[in-house]
Each structure stands twice: as C-alpha cells, then as structure tokens.
Amino acid sequence: MEKKVYRDFDQAELDRQYDARGACPDGQIWRDFLTREGTRVRQEIPGRLDVAYGPSAAETLDVFPAAAAAAPVVFFIHGGYWRSSDKDAMSVYAGAFVPAGAACVSVNYALAPHVTIDEIVRQCRAALAWVHRNAADFGADPDRIHVNGRSAGAHLAAMLLATDWEGDWDLPADLIKGACVVSGLYDLEPVRLCSANQWARLDADSARRNSPLHHIPDVGCPLIVTYGGLETDEFKRQSEDYMAAWRARGHPCRYVELPDRNHFATMPELADGSNPLTRAVFE
C-alpha cells in the first residue's frame, strides 16, 4: 500500500487531484476562447491599457470605464495556477459588465516560479489599493469595489478578502463590497505537498500564510462561491470548506451551481450577461 501524503491520498492521487490541466483534456479550447474574445472586447470597448500600479514591468492593469459616473468597479484576477496567463485574458468579462454599468479592471502580476506566492499576493493587494485611490479618475466609485477571480485568481481574490486594509494599507476596512470566486484553492497545504509545488515553492509557513481558509476576516462582504460539477473532489472540497468557514464567521455566502463543467469550462460563465452566475454578481 502506498504511503498516505495528505488526507486519504497517496502521492500519485494527490498529484492527480491538483492537476487541473490533466483533468481537462479540452482545456486549450477554453484558453483560446479567452484569448480570442478578450482581443475582440479590447477592440470594441474603450479602455486604458497597461496602466502601471507598481514599479516592476509585471505590475500593470487595464481599466474599462463605465459610461456613467460613480459606477461600481469589478476587479478581475486571472488564473493559470500562479504560473501562466495574464490580464489580457480577463478583458472578455468587460464585454458583459461594462454594458451593465460597471467599470472593469483586470490586473497583471508576476508569475511563479520567478516570484513567490507572497509576492503575487502583495502585487494584487497593491493593485486593488491603486484602484481604490484612483477610481474617481476613471469615473468609478471607490466605495463600490467588487473582486472576482477564477482558479488561482479565486485564491488571490480570497487573499484580498483576508487583507487588513485598514491596519496594513490605511484604507477602509470594508474596502471590498462583494466578491465572486470560481474554482479556487483556499488551503495551500495540499498544494505544498503535491507536484504543483514545483512552481509554487511553498514551505509550511508560506502555505499557511497564503491560505484564505485560515484567514477569514472579521469584516466580511457578500460572497459568491462556485465550481464545476466535473472538477476533482479536492477542488470541490476546497470550495465547500471555504463557504462553510465564511458562513461560520457570520458573513453572507451564496453558492451558484455549475453542473457539467470541468475546471476550464467555467471560464465563459462571467462573459455572458444572461448567465446565472453573472446575474448573481450583478445582484
């Protein structure tokens, strides 16, 4: 019998549970969708592209202003297991949210293994702080910021929810007014123990420090959590555990079911204004 590495999983099974690409043979179809449709949206919707929010080349974001002033801001964080993709893939969602009256921001960050998860989280926090401080300059309301992310982007969105905005950034404690996380990872201990740690480079302390499940904030907001019905058991469990922890702290949380979706097939959900998940975020 193989040695158990985490919960009831031996090394091979744990690696399989956290191999998002291996579990989705059609993943490239959906990645191509984001590239193609993101390019189309950038051509159709005016935006301020490659705006610097920090000193490094990776620290840039795109802003798609709303037509009306004092609009809510929807802040999108891309996925890619912290090691791939970029903000351009998130442009597609502006096609649904800008016509609905929101300003959209998509953020870039440096990728693992060139930087640590700690640094990626810091960059995303710096980007959101920039958005709050500059929202009025692009016609948006800094008191109506919502964050969204999928896969690694969902983890990073949850880390933004875990941030002490008042103590560490001199910003309002309730800076984030709502969030939607799709197919995320919220406890990085199993990531540390599986093959994904080849690029995540986590030790026990950094895994704990960057696990939103262990840092549920005192000041919460309405949260939407979802995952694909065809995802691996561990991706499902992580979302269920995070929802339970959020609700246990007394914060509102809503689950939106995505049946018959694998990890990558959840990508188009927020690109369609009539989609149930998109409408839940609108609400």
Side-chain angles (χ1 to χ4, degrees):
M1 180 178 294
E2 294 292 332
K3 178 183 176 181
K4 302 300 183 185
V5 176
Y6 178 79
R7 296 170 70 90
D8 289 329
F9 302 123
D10 61 24
Q11 190 65 65
E13 180 59 18
L14 184 65
D15 290 346
R16 190 191 72 80
Q17 287 289 326
Y18 285 91
D19 181 8
R21 291 191 178 186
C24 306
D26 62 347
Q28 191 59 48
I29 294 173
W30 301 112
R31 292 192 290 273
D32 291 344
F33 166 85
L34 291 187
T35 300
R36 180 181 67 253
E37 292 303 301
T39 299
R40 177 186 61 79
V41 169
R42 287 194 300 278
Q43 293 171 346
E44 295 177 357
I45 297 180
R48 304 177 188 179
L49 307 182
D50 301 317
V51 178
Y53 67 83
S56 73
E59 293 173 82
T60 61
L61 50 78
D62 294 340
V63 178
F64 297 92
V73 182
V74 185
F75 183 88
F76 285 97
I77 311 174
H78 72 79
Y81 231 150
W82 307 291
R83 65 169 175 161
S84 66
S85 194
D86 60 32
K87 63 178 172 54
D88 291 356
M90 299 292 96
S91 299
V92 62
Y93 302 123
F97 282 83
V98 171
C104 286
V105 176
S106 56
V107 61
N108 231 33
Y109 50 84
L111 300 174
H114 304 293
V115 299
T116 63
I117 303 296
D118 282 307
E119 174 59 13
I120 293 172
V121 170
R122 186 205 65 78
Q123 289 182 12
C124 289
R125 286 169 169 161
L128 194 61
W130 183 96
V131 168
H132 184 272
R133 291 168 176 149
N134 293 274
D137 292 341
F138 55 89
D141 185 348
D143 294 323
R144 300 176 68 195
I145 294 176
H146 301 254
V147 300
N148 290 265
R150 198 200 65 81
S151 193
H155 163 261
L156 295 168
M159 286 301 294
L160 296 184
L161 292 171
T163 304
D164 181 0
W165 292 108
E166 188 172 38
D168 294 342
W169 293 85
D170 194 27
L171 293 170
D174 63 345
L175 182 148
I176 300 172
K177 298 303 193 294
C180 176
V181 290
V182 182
S183 302
L185 296 172
Y186 310 104
D187 181 358
L188 300 195
E189 178 62 11
V191 176
R192 180 180 75 85
L193 297 172
C194 77
S195 58
N197 209 36
Q198 295 172 16
W199 60 85
R201 297 189 300 158
L202 296 160
D203 59 24
D205 288 340
S206 61
R208 180 84 180 188
R209 187 166 57 246
N210 290 291
S211 291
L213 182 66
H214 302 305
H215 305 287
I216 304 298
D218 293 331
V219 178
C221 66
L223 174 66
I224 297 168
V225 179
T226 188
Y227 55 83
L230 300 181
E231 302 207 45
T232 66
D233 290 341
E234 275 293 279
F235 270 89
K236 295 176 182 179
R237 181 193 64 79
Q238 289 241 1
S239 289
E240 294 289 341
D241 287 355
Y242 188 56
M243 281 191 284
W246 195 258
R247 288 167 175 159
R249 193 58 62 89
H251 305 325
C253 183
R254 177 177 177 183
Y255 168 65
V256 176
E257 186 178 11
L258 296 179
D260 303 321
R261 300 285 194 279
N262 64 35
H263 186 76
F264 288 95
T266 60
M267 287 178 173
E269 299 299 320
L270 291 173
D272 177 3
S274 64
N275 183 281
L277 180 61
T278 310
R279 297 191 66 82
V281 177
F282 287 169
E283 292 170 13

